[in-house]
Amino acid sequence: MNGIDTRVLAGRYRLLNPLAEGGTGAVWLAADEMLRRDVAVKEVRLPPDLDPVRRQEACASALREANLAARLKHPSIVTVHDVIIDQDRPWVVMELLSGASLEQTVRQRQPLPTHQAARVGVGILSALVAAHAAGVIHRDVKPGNVFLTRTGRAVLTDFGVAVVEGEATAGRTGHLIGSPNYIAPERLRGERGGPASDLWSLGATLYFAVEGLPPHPAETPVAAIGRVLTDPARPPERAGALGPLLTLMLAPRAEDRPSFDDVARSLQEIALGRPATALPPGPSGSVPSGPVLERIPVPSEHERPLPEESTGGRRQAGARERSGGHAPVPVPRGRRTAVWAAAEVAAVVAVIAVTAGVAHLLSDGTAPAAPARLSEKPGVFAVPVDPCKLISATEVRQLLPALKAAGQPTNQGGCQWTTPGVGLQVYPAGLDKQWGKSPRQAHELFVNQRHSVLPSGQTAWSWPGIKAGVRSARSTGPLEVGPAGDEAFGYDLYENRKTGRLEKSHVVLRVDNLVLEVAYTVVDGSKDGPKIQAGAHTAATWVAQALNKQKASG
């Protein structure tokens, strides 16, 4: 392998060093020299004596995997950037994830505590909901395909054996694909399988996370197939509150498994340390009509430093919450002999379920009505807007009376107005893009941002531009705000140590195919919380009015 350490694929991806190797390929750290970023490149190794037809099939399979993963936009699904055929071998270019797979984490350390396994389950379940809503069945959910990142995500990888609803499979190879310990019984019997099959595989994966072995342990793959087809799952011993839920998810018949909605609710309760609600056995196994996922606090053991603030003055609010124990669980649980490193796997920081209605839960558990059917046609904002032109000098001085300079563009496409102790910002939601191609895509970005907002017990932020040094704060979950644009929500940051005073108020809003975030910050104590919230909403209203005026003018 060392002989191709400096190999460049497609004239832009320079291979640096292998990150992982297996019998059928390797994953490389690579530098994208065009966009100047690090990426992961999956190398698919083909036997040298493979006949041309099989080689062509392997390349087509890699292209198909890349196409499937690329069409699924979700924070818990690995992002595929590109696919390359080089010297008759496929190479898949993906986002670079830092961490380890669930399988590696459990085998090298120990099984996960129950509440942390449930957090992983929340993220992967929501990824499956997004995939199923797009008509994609993963078919290979297993510990090796769940990646636990150091930045707080559980990510579902490897869509190489996924199938699309209605897609013909007769031309594919007929051998069993997947790991027998994590394949649902109906698929082992030769059936195509559906969403309930992925749910069974997720149950088996979470079982491994807390027990350290699969639910049907066996010495050989053939023996595992026999046990999955004929035997009930091994009674869990260390799963605690997850035990009853896992038993239902591992029901031999698909119709006896719980619904995705019920599983999501139970995982949330367990992740938050609450006693899980007892679920009745099936019939069920249906795909949810809308997400039922609430914000999951992030544990703080082995806290990681927060990212430095950008030149534009915004520090990503990293959330870490200290948890002082677990609520009683309905079944006995085994002892934990050590604390699993939460720096490797924190909570899922972004949970989104993309379904036909694309509804979402509020922080108080109530579900607002989904917006009317949104257009898939290109929106009116085809190019980035200039946020500095969305608020007039007269308007901004109502919130920053001492302001003398004009708004300053930031290096993330935003704008900021600053005076000592007070600041106003308008920037793209998510920091990476501010619009979707269509109102529907922008709405999905908006929902993604809403689910990215987590209540936290400890958050750090700073803003040198307003003379605010690094400070400790706590963040709320998403909050309802008054009308601003087509849809909007807010969240706040409160001082964590002394007065508990509100310091920052944010509003995220969508207008047509554009999603922006507005933040109003006061650190000198001159305004109370309601006035800061009102300031953020007022600024968001100005932004929405300016955007609607641009929209009306065409």
Side-chain angles (χ1 to χ4, degrees):
M1 295 183 68
N2 293 333
I4 59 171
D5 282 354
T6 59
R7 183 175 179 180
V8 178
L9 302 173
R12 63 182 288 189
Y13 303 110
R14 183 175 297 277
L15 302 182
L16 300 177
N17 58 270
L19 298 173
E21 294 187 67
T24 59
V27 177
W28 291 78
L29 169 65
D32 181 347
E33 296 182 336
M34 180 178 293
L35 296 181
R36 299 186 182 278
R37 64 180 177 184
D38 290 337
V39 295
V41 176
K42 177 182 176 182
E43 173 191 4
V44 180
R45 293 179 183 160
L46 305 177
D49 58 348
L50 197 65
D51 64 75
V53 174
R54 294 292 302 278
R55 186 175 294 273
Q56 186 176 6
E57 287 179 353
C59 292
S61 177
L63 287 168
R64 181 179 167 280
E65 175 188 358
N67 288 332
L68 279 179
R71 68 189 265 190
L72 301 173
K73 302 298 184 182
H74 189 282
S76 285
I77 294 177
V78 67
T79 300
V80 172
H81 300 309
D82 199 357
V83 61
I84 298 159
I85 304 299
D86 185 270
Q87 295 184 356
D88 294 328
R89 283 194 296 155
W91 304 72
V92 181
V93 183
M94 304 174 292
E95 66 174 311
L96 180 64
L97 300 174
S98 177
S101 71
L102 174 61
E103 182 177 31
Q104 290 173 314
T105 301
V106 172
R107 293 198 187 284
Q108 295 176 3
R109 297 184 179 182
Q110 65 169 5
L112 275 57
T114 298
H115 70 288
Q116 290 175 338
R119 288 187 177 105
V120 172
V122 168
I124 302 304
L125 184 73
S126 69
L128 290 174
V129 170
H132 297 164
V136 176
I137 310 300
H138 189 278
R139 299 204 309 165
D140 200 17
V141 180
K142 60 183 180 182
N145 286 341
V146 173
F147 196 91
L148 309 177
T149 77
R150 291 188 176 91
T151 57
R153 282 193 294 161
V155 181
L156 183 60
T157 67
D158 201 343
F159 280 76
V161 299
V163 296
V164 179
E165 186 177 4
E167 179 184 58
T169 58
R172 305 241 186 108
T173 54
H175 66 278
L176 182 66
I177 299 176
S179 300
N181 280 307
Y182 302 98
I183 299 176
E186 60 271 21
R187 285 197 54 228
L188 291 177
R189 290 192 295 267
E191 300 171 21
R192 181 186 176 94
S197 303
D198 278 350
L199 187 69
W200 191 98
S201 298
L202 176 60
T205 297
L206 296 180
Y207 185 106
F208 173 84
V210 290
E211 296 290 321
L213 74 170
H216 298 86
E219 295 295 326
T220 66
V222 173
I225 292 174
R227 293 205 61 186
V228 171
L229 287 173
T230 60
D231 297 344
R234 167 186 172 273
E237 298 175 356
R238 306 179 61 165
L242 268 176
L245 176 62
L246 296 179
T247 299
L248 290 175
M249 293 172 71
L250 293 168
R253 299 196 313 164
E255 58 268 28
D256 292 335
R257 295 167 202 156
S259 69
F260 279 70
D261 285 351
D262 287 341
V263 172
R265 292 190 188 96
S266 294
L267 287 174
Q268 292 161 23
E269 292 167 350
I270 297 167
L272 293 168
R274 303 170 184 163
T277 302
L279 298 179
S284 183
S286 59
V287 178
S289 57
V292 291
L293 306 174
E294 54 183 297
R295 310 294 74 73
I296 305 297
V298 181
S300 61
E301 301 141 327
H302 311 291
E303 298 218 353
R304 295 178 55 77
L306 291 162
E308 290 298 317
E309 178 165 334
S310 66
T311 306
R314 185 189 183 208
R315 173 184 291 266
Q316 289 274 28
R320 299 289 186 270
E321 175 165 294
R322 304 205 174 271
S323 53
H326 308 292
V329 296
V331 294
R333 62 180 291 174
R335 290 182 176 273
R336 298 292 178 204
T337 58
V339 177
W340 175 58
E344 292 267 342
V345 183
V348 178
V349 297
V351 177
I352 170 179
V354 183
T355 58
V358 196
H360 49 80
L361 285 187
L362 307 183
S363 56
D364 64 0
T366 61
R373 179 177 293 275
L374 296 174
S375 173
E376 295 285 359
K377 296 180 179 179
V380 298
F381 302 105
V383 296
V385 300
D386 182 358
C388 291
K389 296 181 179 179
L390 297 178
I391 302 178
S392 69
T394 301
E395 290 171 334
V396 77
R397 285 195 178 91
Q398 295 181 37
L399 299 177
L400 284 76
L403 182 69
K404 297 180 180 179
Q408 298 297 312
T410 71
N411 63 352
Q412 289 139 350
C415 188
Q416 61 180 4
W417 297 262
T418 59
T419 61
V422 186
L424 177 66
Q425 298 163 287
V426 181
Y427 47 84
L431 290 181
D432 56 352
K433 63 178 182 178
Q434 57 179 279
W435 71 94
K437 180 178 179 181
S438 67
R440 167 57 66 187
Q441 291 183 3
H443 170 70
E444 292 177 2
L445 172 62
F446 174 86
V447 173
N448 187 358
Q449 288 304 112
R450 185 183 184 97
H451 286 303
S452 298
V453 175
L454 297 168
S456 70
Q458 186 171 354
T459 294
W461 68 276
S462 68
W463 190 355
I466 63 172
K467 302 187 183 306
V470 177
R471 48 217 304 121
S472 175
R474 57 187 174 86
S475 173
T476 68
L479 305 170
E480 288 309 289
V481 297
D486 297 319
E487 51 188 334
F489 73 88
Y491 65 97
D492 298 327
L493 267 68
Y494 290 82
E495 190 180 26
N496 203 36
R497 293 175 179 169
K498 297 180 181 178
T499 65
R501 184 183 66 242
L502 188 147
E503 295 180 320
K504 298 184 72 176
S505 186
H506 297 247
V507 175
V508 179
L509 70 151
R510 179 185 69 83
V511 175
D512 199 74
N513 64 316
L514 186 66
V515 183
L516 293 174
E517 186 161 345
V518 178
Y520 181 50
T521 305
V522 179
V523 297
D524 60 5
S526 63
K527 288 188 172 73
D528 58 20
K531 289 183 179 178
I532 296 175
Q533 291 173 324
H537 185 260
T538 297
T541 302
W542 291 334
V543 168
Q545 289 172 345
L547 292 173
N548 279 320
K549 187 176 295 185
Q550 291 185 24
K551 179 180 176 180
S553 64

